[in-house]
Amino acid sequence: MTTAERKDRLFLVRHGETEWSKNGRHTSVTDLPLTPEGERVAASLRSRLAAETFDLVLTSPRQRARRTAELAGFGDAVVDEDLAEWNYGDYEGITTPDIRKTVPGWTVWSSPVPNGESATDVTKRLDRVITRIEAVPGDVLVFGHSHALRGLTARWLDLDVAEGRHFVLDTATVSTLGWDRGTPVVHHWNS
């Protein structure tokens, strides 16, 4: 199938709320559970996704993403290590305002992350995810994290991973990427 004919869609679901996501703390390798509210909202995704059929369902290895997938009715989602959140290194558990007290103007998209991942590292991982998705003829559902899914969206749109900064992603929301006349597009965001 040529790009002009593609009709498949990529559904992105950010995990439900955790204590750290609620407080704006950067969470990558710290494996936090969902809050009770995060569990409630994640469970509400089940009815929203029930009418869809997916040829592949992937999830980050972190429990917050896997639990969201389970509550949404996709407990058999395939774990893909490449969907892990951007590794924040020394900034793990710290908010952006706190980081900016010592590094003015810091952003994960364009600034160094001491002992963490660079944008180049994240791009390589996300490009492998896209290659995996492109090998599937139908719709794909992915459960993951804010910065990783925003970066994945940028890469889907043939943009630099840093352009993910333009796609704010709320917890336990569904976003849909796809095609329009051969061009990769955003169909729905944060719904």
Side-chain angles (χ1 to χ4, degrees), residues 116-190:
E117 283 184 294
S118 69
T120 301
D121 297 331
V122 174
T123 297
K124 288 177 185 173
R125 284 197 293 114
L126 298 178
D127 285 354
R128 287 192 300 263
V129 173
I130 289 175
T131 297
R132 185 175 190 179
I133 291 167
E134 287 175 338
V136 176
D139 293 346
V140 175
L141 173 61
V142 170
F143 291 88
H145 311 275
S146 178
H147 286 118
L149 292 179
R150 293 166 67 184
L152 184 67
T153 299
R155 298 304 296 147
W156 179 268
L157 299 173
D158 295 324
L159 301 171
D160 186 275
V161 74
E163 298 308 313
R165 69 183 185 267
H166 297 292
F167 302 101
V168 174
L169 192 58
D170 297 331
T171 56
T173 55
V174 179
S175 299
T176 311
L177 309 178
W179 302 93
D180 181 50
R181 297 176 185 93
T183 300
V185 297
V186 175
H187 285 296
H188 303 282
W189 197 255
N190 272 336

Side-chain angles (χ1 to χ4, degrees), residues 40-52 71-74 174:
R40 185 191 69 74
V41 177
S44 75
L45 295 168
R46 182 181 293 259
S47 62
R48 295 178 54 206
L49 295 168
E52 305 297 339
L71 290 168
F74 298 92
V174 179

Side-chain angles (χ1 to χ4, degrees), residues 39-131:
E39 293 235 348
R40 185 191 69 74
V41 177
S44 75
L45 295 168
R46 182 181 293 259
S47 62
R48 295 178 54 206
L49 295 168
E52 305 297 339
T53 302
F54 301 102
D55 287 0
L56 178 64
V57 180
L58 300 172
T59 184
S60 158
R62 304 292 180 253
Q63 72 169 310
R64 56 195 181 273
R66 290 190 340 265
R67 181 68 175 143
T68 300
E70 178 185 344
L71 290 168
F74 298 92
D76 59 349
V78 177
V79 173
D80 188 329
E81 295 290 331
D82 287 331
L83 285 169
E85 180 60 295
W86 196 308
N87 186 332
Y88 301 121
D90 294 350
Y91 296 147
E92 181 79 3
I94 303 173
T95 66
T96 296
D98 284 340
I99 296 166
R100 288 181 175 170
K101 289 176 184 174
T102 57
V103 186
W106 181 87
T107 171
V108 72
W109 304 108
S110 59
S111 303
V113 180
N115 297 307
E117 283 184 294
S118 69
T120 301
D121 297 331
V122 174
T123 297
K124 288 177 185 173
R125 284 197 293 114
L126 298 178
D127 285 354
R128 287 192 300 263
V129 173
I130 289 175
T131 297

